[in-house]
Amino acid sequence: QVQLGESGGGLVQTGGSLTLSCVASGGDFSAYIIGWFRQAPGKPREFVAAISQTVGNTYYGDISKGRFTISRDNAKATVFLQMDSLEPEDTAIYYCGARIGGSSMSYSANYAYWGLGTQVTVSS
């Protein structure tokens, strides 16, 4: 199994940028698909982006609106989420998850391992 830890969240003004990191330990990182999800108060968990094993194919949810970029560095066992043009509606706790298989990148139940999340707050 793998343990995940997110970092990079914080307070940013509208239009600003943040880069989130998901660092893995305890497993073969290159074997996992890594996804980013977010959850705001009163809302369900939403798919943000995912990246496949080694080859690094990327997938984005509609919520990303072309503003986010996901990447991975297998040598460092890290996945990044670059977020630009942030808006107040992006305020949420952002989680990374890891999965080996599953039929849908955006289905949260396919992800077996999760970090504890990092808070992103976008002020107006």
Side-chain angles (χ1 to χ4, degrees):
Q1 62 181 29
V2 63
Q3 295 180 340
L4 305 175
E6 303 95 336
S7 63
L11 176 63
V12 64
Q13 295 180 341
T14 297
S17 299
L18 285 172
T19 299
L20 306 183
S21 298
C22 175
V23 180
S25 62
D28 183 4
F29 183 74
S30 64
Y32 289 95
I33 297 168
I34 303 296
W36 283 98
F37 293 76
R38 72 186 191 187
Q39 189 163 20
K43 296 183 179 180
R45 184 166 295 191
E46 298 173 302
F47 173 69
V48 178
I51 188 165
S52 67
Q53 309 94 321
T54 306
V55 175
N57 294 321
T58 58
Y59 307 84
Y60 295 95
D62 292 339
I63 198 170
S64 298
K65 300 178 180 179
R67 300 174 293 121
F68 299 169
T69 303
I70 189 170
S71 61
R72 70 188 296 161
D73 186 339
N74 288 331
K76 297 181 179 180
T78 303
V79 167
F80 303 96
L81 182 68
Q82 175 68 43
M83 304 188 295
D84 299 311
S85 301
L86 286 165
E87 303 170 358
E89 66 184 0
D90 295 316
T91 296
I93 300 175
Y94 284 71
Y95 302 88
C96 66
R99 72 171 198 168
I100 296 177
S103 60
S104 175
M105 291 287 189
S106 63
Y107 187 40
S108 62
N110 287 337
Y111 294 82
Y113 308 102
W114 295 91
L116 296 179
T118 184
Q119 177 70 49
V120 172
T121 302
V122 185
S123 65
S124 59

